[in-house]
Amino acid sequence: MDGDTTKTNEGGVIEVNGRRYMPDARGALVPEEMVRPADKLIDETVRKVMGFAEALSAQIARFKGHSFDDIGALEALLAQEYGTGIGGRKGNKTLTSFDGTLKVTVQVQDHVTFGPELQVAKELVDSCIAGWSEGAGPEIRALVDHAFQVDKEGRINRAALYQLRRLDIDDARWREAMRALTDSMRVLGTATYLRFYKRAAADAPWEGVTIDLASARPAGAGA
């Protein structure tokens, strides 16, 4: 309305001409006194938790950027000093503290998808197993079924497919099937991950320092 003075306050409350409203999911302005106390409490809790989540997300993003900057600066110094970098051909690298109790790893992982050759590989593998008859153990059959199974999100079991490729089977049809499987793999891009580990002593087992909600333990929780 003309002459209305609108002001957005904390907590999702909008003030119009001195009266307080809360927008609902359809965008309608509901007078604050008509909103159920339970809905107000839920709204307040969600906004509180989201405030912490957004601040933490920004902090983690800064931490990630600084960590890669620090590792990059170290690599540049070592390259200048010794004429070589650190890590493997794909960029994977491990950095360990002098006392052997802290470790940071950089892992480069390919994002792989599979093309139509995968169906050809499946048909060739099935042909192999049918031809072997009694010679094909149930373990191989189970592994093949597991490898080519599509989950409810429509994703192929990549780990099982890689395991299939490692089987040493002296059969021309099998080798052709594995060639089709290899040809079906397409690398769409790569992602780089930081992993953090610590241990009480140089001969103790490593423990991951988790920076994700699914794996993190609340303060004071037991092992």
Side-chain angles (χ1 to χ4, degrees):
M1 292 182 293
D2 293 340
D4 284 354
T5 301
T6 302
K7 179 182 179 183
T8 303
N9 298 317
E10 288 290 329
V13 176
I14 294 178
E15 188 175 300
V16 180
N17 287 339
R19 190 172 182 186
R20 294 165 62 85
Y21 299 87
M22 293 183 67
D24 66 11
R26 296 171 296 179
L29 296 181
V30 180
E32 186 180 20
E33 65 272 14
M34 294 181 62
V35 178
R36 294 187 312 157
D39 289 335
K40 283 186 180 180
L41 184 59
I42 293 171
D43 184 85
E44 178 184 344
T45 301
V46 169
R47 293 179 186 279
K48 178 181 179 181
V49 173
M50 279 299 300
F52 287 121
E54 289 178 342
L56 181 59
S57 177
Q59 184 179 358
I60 290 175
R62 291 192 298 270
F63 165 73
K64 181 179 179 181
H66 291 321
S67 296
F68 279 121
D69 287 345
D70 290 342
I71 293 172
L74 170 64
E75 288 187 286
L77 286 173
L78 293 177
Q80 181 178 351
E81 181 71 20
Y82 301 106
T84 185
I86 55 177
R89 179 177 59 85
K90 278 196 167 187
N92 297 310
K93 52 185 70 74
T94 299
L95 306 171
T96 308
S97 64
F98 189 67
D99 64 359
T101 63
L102 302 173
K103 179 171 67 173
V104 176
T105 67
V106 179
Q107 296 175 327
V108 181
Q109 181 176 328
D110 291 335
H111 289 307
V112 178
T113 188
F114 295 89
E117 298 91 345
L118 186 65
Q119 184 58 40
V120 175
K122 175 66 165 62
E123 292 173 359
L124 289 170
V125 167
D126 287 340
S127 175
C128 283
I129 293 178
W132 295 336
S133 186
E134 297 300 323
E139 300 84 0
I140 294 181
R141 177 75 264 181
L143 178 58
V144 168
D145 290 341
H146 185 50
F148 288 98
Q149 185 176 5
V150 178
D151 66 16
K152 61 183 179 181
E153 281 81 27
R155 296 173 302 197
I156 294 292
N157 191 325
R158 297 175 186 172
L161 285 174
Y162 297 151
Q163 187 177 357
L164 206 63
R165 293 173 63 206
R166 288 196 293 269
L167 293 178
D168 186 16
I169 297 177
D170 187 18
D171 186 295
R173 292 168 300 176
W174 180 269
R175 289 194 295 271
E176 187 67 14
M178 293 304 100
R179 186 172 73 86
L181 176 56
T182 300
D183 290 344
S184 75
M185 299 170 61
R186 286 131 167 87
V187 178
L188 298 181
T190 59
T192 305
Y193 301 94
L194 284 170
R195 302 281 188 263
F196 309 94
Y197 304 89
K198 65 178 181 179
R199 56 187 177 183
D203 57 352
W206 290 106
E207 296 180 5
V209 178
T210 57
I211 307 180
D212 84 83
L213 290 178
S215 302
R217 292 200 303 263

